[in-house]
Amino acid sequence: MKNLLSLEALTRADMESILSRIAAFKRNRKTHPRPLSGQTWALIFSKSSTRTRVSFEVGLRELGAEVIFLSSAEIQLGRGEPVRDTAQVLGRMVHGAVIRTFAQADVEAFARFSGIPTINALTDDEHPCQILTDIFTFEELSGVPIKGRRVTFVGDAACNVPASWIFAAARLGFELRLAAPAAYQPARSLLERAGGIQGPADPGAPAEASGWYFPSGGRVVCTADLNWAATDSDLLYTDVWVSMGKEAEAAQRVQDLSGYQINAALVSRARQGALVMHCLPAYRGKEIDEATLEAHSSTIFTQAENRLHTQKAIVDWMIS
Ligand code: CP
Ligand code: NVA
């Protein structure tokens, strides 16, 4: 039995195994096997969700399972029952769990104490299902492997989505440029945990840029200079400036991150035909402007749809 608790915990072979299954689930949506027939899976969510909730509810049903959605506010977890007790109870009743919450440690504790296949549907630390989807979508729409390509993330580079991108770059061997003010760049300890060795950034990189190198050939460059970061990029990517749980910092974040926006001027620095992606929800006029979102909406909504197909592939990998 496997879990999907983070990209940090996945090997390159694991990621490739999941990625290699997605296209068939997308192609054969009506006819693929229903390996979860007779099972019941629980979705336990402590944060809001549109895409993740619906794609898991629909996807698990299409794999044959019954699904119970449990908002943490409506179960005893929300009144302080420990995760380990909740996990031991649910582990005796349901066959798998999908959890969206704050602390990564809670998802890990749930997996340990429940003994059932457990999926991280977003924590403060990672969003693994999203980034596996994004890589599949990049390869599907561009027609080339992500290995050796340049991905530029613009915005809050210290949140869950860029963290999962870092582990993906480390394992799959592509370049990830993170464009953010210094206070919104990832912790050095995270880059070290990903297996990075710090070295000089590219020749021509801004003086403040820092480069991290991985045995896969992947690298991560952190810089405050979004124009440099976007240059010749194959994929421009952004996420909200104010992640769930950070609402109290909203005004400060909007002030600090203002300017770290994907717009036509930034897109013009990327490679001709570069993709623009957003995990959604999007705040037009903040991390991406209206015209750019609309110009790339076909990519962005294909990316959203691909959550459904990717998560089926994740479950298939977990139970195989
Ligand atoms: N991208 C994503 O996870 O969206 P939701 O918060 O709507 O699930
Ligand atoms: N970083 C965002 C991702 C939303 C899908 C958040 O955690 O709110």
Coordinates of all heavy atoms in Angstrom, one line a residue, residues 45 48-53 100 121-122 127 130 244 279-281 307, ligand 1:
F45 N -11.6 17.7 4.7 CA -11.1 19.0 4.3 C -11.3 20.1 5.4 O -12.4 20.3 5.9 CB -11.9 19.5 3.0 CG -11.3 18.9 1.7 CD1 -11.0 17.6 1.6 CD2 -11.2 19.7 0.6 CE1 -10.5 17.0 0.4 CE2 -10.7 19.2 -0.6 CZ -10.4 17.8 -0.7
S48 N -11.1 25.5 2.2 CA -12.0 25.6 1.0 C -11.4 24.9 -0.2 O -10.1 24.7 -0.3 CB -12.2 27.0 0.6 OG -12.7 27.8 1.7
S49 N -12.2 24.5 -1.1 CA -11.7 23.8 -2.3 C -12.9 23.8 -3.3 O -14.0 23.4 -3.0 CB -11.2 22.4 -2.0 OG -10.9 21.8 -3.3
T50 N -12.5 24.0 -4.6 CA -13.4 23.8 -5.7 C -12.9 22.6 -6.5 O -13.5 21.5 -6.6 CB -13.6 25.0 -6.6 OG1 -14.2 26.1 -5.7 CG2 -14.5 24.8 -7.7
R51 N -11.7 22.9 -7.1 CA -11.1 21.9 -8.0 C -10.8 20.5 -7.4 O -11.1 19.5 -7.9 CB -9.8 22.4 -8.7 CG -10.1 23.4 -9.8 CD -9.0 24.5 -9.8 NE -9.3 25.3 -8.7 CZ -10.1 26.4 -8.7 NH1 -10.6 26.7 -9.9 NH2 -10.4 27.1 -7.7
T52 N -10.1 20.6 -6.2 CA -9.6 19.4 -5.6 C -10.8 18.6 -5.1 O -10.8 17.4 -5.3 CB -8.7 19.8 -4.4 OG1 -7.7 20.7 -5.0 CG2 -8.0 18.6 -3.9
R53 N -11.7 19.2 -4.5 CA -12.9 18.5 -4.0 C -13.7 17.8 -5.1 O -14.0 16.6 -5.0 CB -13.8 19.4 -3.2 CG -15.1 18.7 -2.7 CD -16.0 19.6 -1.9 NE -17.2 18.8 -1.6 CZ -18.2 19.3 -0.9 NH1 -18.1 20.5 -0.3 NH2 -19.3 18.6 -0.7
R100 N -7.2 17.6 3.0 CA -6.7 19.0 2.8 C -6.7 19.7 4.2 O -7.7 19.8 4.8 CB -7.6 19.7 1.9 CG -7.3 21.2 1.8 CD -8.0 22.0 0.7 NE -7.3 21.7 -0.6 CZ -7.4 22.5 -1.7 NH1 -8.1 23.6 -1.6 NH2 -6.7 22.2 -2.8
A121 N -4.1 16.4 -0.2 CA -4.9 17.3 -1.2 C -4.6 18.8 -0.9 O -5.4 19.6 -1.3 CB -6.4 17.0 -1.0
L122 N -3.4 19.1 -0.3 CA -2.9 20.4 0.0 C -2.7 20.5 1.5 O -3.6 20.3 2.2 CB -3.8 21.5 -0.6 CG -3.3 23.0 -0.3 CD1 -3.7 23.9 -1.5 CD2 -3.7 23.6 1.0
H127 N 1.6 20.8 -2.3 CA 0.3 20.5 -3.1 C 0.7 19.5 -4.2 O 0.7 19.8 -5.4 CB -0.2 21.8 -3.7 CG -1.7 21.7 -4.1 ND1 -2.4 20.6 -4.0 CD2 -2.5 22.7 -4.7 CE1 -3.6 20.8 -4.5 NE2 -3.7 22.1 -4.9
Q130 N -1.4 18.8 -7.4 CA -1.4 19.9 -8.4 C -0.2 19.9 -9.3 O -0.3 20.0 -10.5 CB -1.5 21.3 -7.6 CG -1.4 22.5 -8.5 CD -2.8 22.7 -9.2 OE1 -3.8 22.8 -8.6 NE2 -2.7 22.7 -10.5
M244 N -4.4 30.2 1.6 CA -5.3 29.9 2.7 C -4.6 29.8 4.0 O -3.6 29.1 4.1 CB -6.1 28.6 2.3 CG -7.0 28.8 1.1 SD -7.9 27.3 0.7 CE -6.7 26.4 -0.2
C279 N -2.6 27.6 -11.0 CA -3.3 26.5 -10.3 C -4.7 26.8 -10.0 O -5.5 25.9 -9.8 CB -2.5 26.0 -9.1 SG -2.3 27.3 -7.9
L280 N -5.1 28.1 -10.0 CA -6.4 28.6 -9.6 C -6.7 28.3 -8.2 O -6.2 27.3 -7.6 CB -7.5 28.0 -10.6 CG -7.3 28.3 -12.1 CD1 -8.4 27.6 -12.9 CD2 -7.3 29.8 -12.4
P281 N -7.5 29.1 -7.5 CA -8.3 30.2 -8.0 C -7.3 31.4 -8.3 O -6.3 31.6 -7.7 CB -9.2 30.6 -6.8 CG -8.4 30.1 -5.6 CD -7.7 28.9 -6.0
R307 N -6.7 17.8 -13.3 CA -6.6 17.3 -11.9 C -7.4 16.0 -11.9 O -7.0 15.0 -11.2 CB -7.3 18.3 -11.0 CG -6.6 19.6 -10.9 CD -5.2 19.5 -10.1 NE -5.4 18.9 -8.8 CZ -5.8 19.6 -7.7 NH1 -6.0 20.9 -7.8 NH2 -5.9 19.0 -6.5
Ligands
CP1 N1 -5.9 24.4 -7.4 C1 -6.7 24.0 -6.4 O1 -6.2 23.1 -5.6 O2 -7.9 24.5 -6.3 P1 -9.0 24.4 -5.2 O3 -8.4 25.1 -4.0 O4 -10.2 24.9 -5.7 O5 -9.1 22.9 -4.8

